[in-house]
Amino acid sequence: MLKVRGLEVFYGPIRAVRGIDLDVAQGEVVALIGANGAGKTTTVRAIAGLTPFRGEVSYDGRALAPNSAERNLRAGIALVPEGRGILGSMSVEDNLLMGIYCRRDQADALKDIERMYERFPILGQRRTSMASLLSGGEQQMLAIARALLSRPRVLLLDEPSLGLAPKISDFVFSLIADLRKEGMTVLLVEQKARQTLKVADRAYLLETGRVIKSGAAAELAGDSTVSAAFLGGT
Ligand code: ATP
C-alpha cells in the first residue's frame, strides 16, 4: 500500500502542499480532486520522486525518497504526467520501448508491447509514426500504455482527460474503470470531479495544499463541499 504522511512541498517561499496524509490500498482507484493550484500535481510528482518534499512517502513499508524518480519507477511507481510526457520526435514504438527499459524480462516485455497494440489498436496501426503526429487522445493512450509497460504496482495519472474532446475523455475514464476491474492500483488526479467520482473507490478533495474532505467516492459525489467546489463541473 502507498502511504503518505505529513507531505509538504515548497517552491521557494511558496508552500504548495501543506501536510497531506493519504493512503492508496492495493487494487484501489483513489482520486485527488480540487481546483487549479490546489496542489494535486505537486503531490503526485512528490510521490513519483520528481520533487523534493518533507514528510513520509512509503510503499509497502519502504520509504520512497525525494528526487528518486528512477528508483521509484523500479519500485513500481509509474507516473503519467500532466501533458503526457511523450517524446514527439520519436516513433510510437520507441516511446513504448522506453516503457520497458527498466524491466529485466525483456523478451516478455516485448510481447507486452504487442499486447498493448491489441489493447490500443490505433497505436498498433501507427507504430512507426512520429508520436507528435498523434491526436491528443492517441498521445494519452500512448502515455498510459508506456506507463503500464513498466508493470507498475501503482499508476499515478495526472489529469489524463485534460484537453481531450468529450468522447475521447469518456474513453479515458472507461479505460480507468477497466484498469480498476483488472486490479490495478491507481492514484488519479482530475478536475472533472463527477466523472472521476464514478470510477474511483475513494477520493480526497484538496484546497490550497490541504485535504479538506476525504471519503468514499460515492459519498463525496453527494457532498455539498464537493458540489460547491465543482458547481457546473463535469
Ligand atoms: P493544476 O490543476 O493547475 O495542475 P494542481 O492542483 O495540480 O493544479 P499544483 O500544480 O500542484 O496544483 O500547484 C500548487 C501550487 O504550487 C500553486 O499555487 C502553483 O502556483 C504552485 N506551483 C506549482 N508549480 C510551481 C513551480 N514550479 N514553481 C512555483 N510555484 C509552483
Side-chain angles (χ1 to χ4, degrees):
M1 103 123 89
L2 179 71
K3 189 169 160 184
V4 174
R5 291 292 177 273
L7 184 73
E8 298 213 349
V9 181
F10 288 82
Y11 294 111
I14 300 168
R15 205 166 151 222
V17 172
R18 304 164 179 236
I20 284 183
D21 295 343
L22 68 88
D23 295 304
V24 186
Q26 202 190 331
E28 260 192 327
V29 173
V30 172
L32 289 185
I33 54 175
N36 264 328
K40 309 179 298 295
T41 294
T42 304
T43 300
V44 287
R45 285 180 58 82
I47 295 169
L50 289 165
T51 274
F53 63 81
R54 290 188 199 156
E56 286 174 39
V57 179
S58 65
Y59 180 76
D60 272 354
R62 275 196 297 168
L64 301 174
N67 289 325
S68 56
E70 183 166 347
R71 238 177 311 142
N72 289 9
L73 184 62
R74 287 184 196 280
I77 314 291
L79 169 69
V80 178
E82 192 177 337
R84 299 158 198 144
I86 290 302
L87 294 174
S89 61
M90 283 168 52
S91 69
V92 165
E93 184 133 308
D94 285 343
N95 271 276
L96 292 178
L97 285 166
M98 279 176 26
I100 64 167
Y101 90 98
C102 64
R103 283 180 53 177
R104 296 215 177 102
D105 56 339
Q106 287 288 308
D108 278 347
L110 289 170
K111 284 187 203 143
D112 285 346
I113 290 185
E114 293 306 318
R115 284 187 205 113
M116 275 311 156
Y117 289 144
E118 284 163 24
R119 177 163 204 163
F120 302 107
I122 191 73
L123 298 182
Q125 288 159 26
R126 318 268 323 249
R127 62 173 83 185
T128 58
S129 302
M130 232 161 71
S132 61
L133 299 176
L134 301 183
S135 71
E138 290 161 0
Q139 287 188 10
Q140 189 63 60
M141 281 176 226
L142 178 58
I144 294 174
R146 185 180 60 183
L148 290 173
L149 283 166
S150 71
R151 282 212 184 139
R153 297 200 180 116
V154 181
L155 184 64
L156 310 172
L157 295 174
D158 193 356
E159 298 218 31
S161 78
L162 189 70
L164 302 183
K167 250 191 182 169
I168 314 293
S169 166
D170 290 349
F171 175 79
V172 168
F173 280 105
S174 72
L175 173 61
I176 296 165
D178 289 346
L179 291 173
R180 178 174 175 272
K181 279 186 212 139
E182 290 162 25
M184 178 65 71
T185 306
V186 179
L187 181 59
L188 169 64
V189 165
E190 262 298 340
Q191 287 201 32
K192 293 186 178 129
R194 279 186 198 138
Q195 273 178 294
T196 300
L197 292 173
K198 279 186 197 146
V199 295
D201 295 290
R202 289 188 305 110
Y204 295 84
L205 175 62
L206 266 56
E207 195 179 277
T208 55
R210 289 195 179 88
V211 174
I212 58 162
K213 204 113 208 182
S214 63
E219 275 167 35
L220 285 192
D223 186 283
S224 57
T225 320
V226 177
S227 354
F230 291 98
L231 208 64
T234 46

